Amino acid sequence: MKNKWKKKGTEIKPDSIKIKAQVLLENQKCAIIASKESKLQSLRERMMKRLEAAKFRQVNEELDSIKDTDPKLAFHSDISNFKKYHTAYKERLEHWPQNPLDVMINYIKRKVPLTHIVADFGCGEARLAASVQQKTHSFDLFAMNERVTACDMSSTPLTDQSVDVAIFCLSLMGTEVGKYIAEASRVLKIKGILKIAEVASRFLNNDAGVFIKRMKKFGFIPKDRVKEGNKNGANPTEVFLLLEFIKIRPIRMVKGKLPSLRLSPCAYKKR
């Protein structure tokens, strides 16, 4: 007598059951392997992010610590390293209570006439220029797109007193930043506005009050400090400072030697 199983009138042979069981077993094995590979990939991704974060801190510390050397050396004069740095930079900003670049963009949109000209020093991808209607000159060490002019930010191609607003958004490189402020003073018109956003820890060893006082020698007087609050209620000064100055005289008319204008390297938490 033949062994047969019936399901709704259909005969099922033992061989077909064995085949289905084998297929099910193979599928389970594949699922286990895929799960292990997924976990391994996730581990790799986490490790790569840690390595990228460590590299970001290393490059940032080099940029903040340089004195008279070429800032490009921190990137080994390679634009690909510069792009990786900015990718890590953007990821880091996601953890801040507020992105200072958004503050700068909102300021220009709300308070700067459309006929005014803006200079963005250390522009990165030139998101500011892409976000506002005002004519904006974007400068950085490397040109990441067609909106950016690659140059030494202490010697831009702008003519004297040709812009109305100058922006430094987390872009004052090195401990001695006077040469960048002097360039901003050169290109700004009288009564032009200089806005600076910088990591608060860079003022730890060099009091912000001293920095602001010395700016007068570069032709600037303070207008407002830390004007824009955080929409979520957090105090942005815990992470960065917002400084605003008005140019009152050409830098060439300032008497005496320009003072040292120093910032500390950015401080990172030890892990």
Side-chain angles (χ1 to χ4, degrees), residues 117-121 135-139 149 151-167 183-189:
I117 299 173
V118 179
D120 185 6
F121 292 81
K135 181 178 179 179
T136 302
H137 299 285
S138 303
F139 304 107
T149 299
C151 68
D152 177 352
M153 291 185 296
S154 66
S155 181
T156 67
L158 294 174
T159 57
D160 292 357
Q161 300 189 54
S162 58
V163 302
D164 301 279
V165 181
I167 302 287
E183 178 65 1
S185 181
R186 181 186 72 80
V187 303
L188 271 171
K189 299 174 183 177

Side-chain angles (χ1 to χ4, degrees), residues 49-90:
K49 283 186 177 181
R50 287 184 180 180
L51 287 171
E52 288 170 1
K55 181 64 176 176
F56 170 81
R57 289 194 296 272
Q58 177 187 348
V59 172
N60 222 35
E61 286 171 351
E62 289 179 17
L63 285 172
D64 289 346
S65 301
I66 56 177
K67 294 181 180 179
D68 297 321
T69 55
D70 185 351
K72 281 188 176 182
L73 296 178
F75 302 101
H76 304 286
S77 299
D78 187 344
I79 191 172
S80 64
N81 291 331
F82 188 70
K83 289 180 178 179
K84 289 177 183 177
Y85 168 83
H86 273 277
T87 298
Y89 161 83
K90 287 190 291 185

Side-chain angles (χ1 to χ4, degrees), residues 14-268:
D15 289 344
S16 65
I17 293 178
K18 288 181 180 180
I19 292 171
K20 289 180 179 179
Q22 289 174 351
V23 170
L24 180 61
L25 183 61
E26 289 297 323
N27 288 340
Q28 290 175 340
K29 287 180 179 178
C30 289
I32 292 171
I33 293 171
S35 177
K36 288 181 177 178
E37 289 178 346
S38 177
K39 289 179 180 178
L40 183 60
Q41 181 66 22
S42 178
L43 177 61
R44 287 197 192 105
E45 288 174 355
R46 290 199 301 272
M47 290 181 69
M48 286 303 297
K49 283 186 177 181
R50 287 184 180 180
L51 287 171
E52 288 170 1
K55 181 64 176 176
F56 170 81
R57 289 194 296 272
Q58 177 187 348
V59 172
N60 222 35
E61 286 171 351
E62 289 179 17
L63 285 172
D64 289 346
S65 301
I66 56 177
K67 294 181 180 179
D68 297 321
T69 55
D70 185 351
K72 281 188 176 182
L73 296 178
F75 302 101
H76 304 286
S77 299
D78 187 344
I79 191 172
S80 64
N81 291 331
F82 188 70
K83 289 180 178 179
K84 289 177 183 177
Y85 168 83
H86 273 277
T87 298
Y89 161 83
K90 287 190 291 185
E91 289 177 357
R92 189 175 185 85
L93 284 179
E94 291 176 2
H95 300 287
W96 285 22
Q98 187 178 35
N99 187 333
L101 181 57
D102 292 333
V103 175
M104 297 295 190
I105 291 171
N106 290 335
Y107 165 80
I108 291 175
K109 283 182 175 180
R110 291 187 290 108
K111 296 190 175 182
V112 176
L114 293 177
T115 55
H116 280 199
I117 299 173
V118 179
D120 185 6
F121 292 81
C123 64
E125 297 174 327
R127 183 161 74 87
L128 188 150
S131 304
V132 302
Q133 296 182 52
Q134 290 83 349
K135 181 178 179 179
T136 302
H137 299 285
S138 303
F139 304 107
D140 216 321
L141 294 173
F142 298 89
M144 295 182 68
N145 55 52
E146 68 282 355
R147 292 189 297 269
V148 183
T149 299
C151 68
D152 177 352
M153 291 185 296
S154 66
S155 181
T156 67
L158 294 174
T159 57
D160 292 357
Q161 300 189 54
S162 58
V163 302
D164 301 279
V165 181
I167 302 287
F168 285 94
C169 188
L170 306 178
S171 56
L172 287 171
M173 298 177 293
T175 54
E176 179 54 61
V177 300
K179 61 183 180 179
Y180 303 117
I181 301 302
E183 178 65 1
S185 181
R186 181 186 72 80
V187 303
L188 271 171
K189 299 174 183 177
I190 299 298
K191 295 185 179 181
I193 299 296
L194 169 63
K195 289 186 74 72
I196 298 173
E198 197 50 73
V199 178
S201 64
R202 299 203 66 195
F203 292 90
L204 286 178
N205 298 322
N206 302 281
D207 183 70
V210 174
F211 183 93
I212 292 169
K213 185 177 179 180
R214 291 183 176 180
M215 287 290 288
K216 192 171 183 179
K217 280 289 188 178
F218 291 81
F220 294 103
I221 58 172
K223 182 179 180 184
D224 292 297
R225 178 181 166 191
V226 195
K227 281 186 62 178
E228 292 84 353
N230 186 278
K231 63 181 179 181
N232 297 320
N235 184 357
T237 59
E238 293 177 356
V239 183
F240 62 89
L241 290 180
L242 286 171
L243 308 173
E244 185 171 348
F245 300 89
I246 301 174
K247 179 181 172 180
I248 58 171
R249 65 174 66 89
I251 193 169
R252 65 177 180 272
M253 292 180 63
V254 176
K255 295 181 180 179
K257 184 179 178 181
L258 291 174
S260 172
L261 204 56
R262 298 180 63 83
L263 293 177
S264 300
C266 188
Y268 292 97

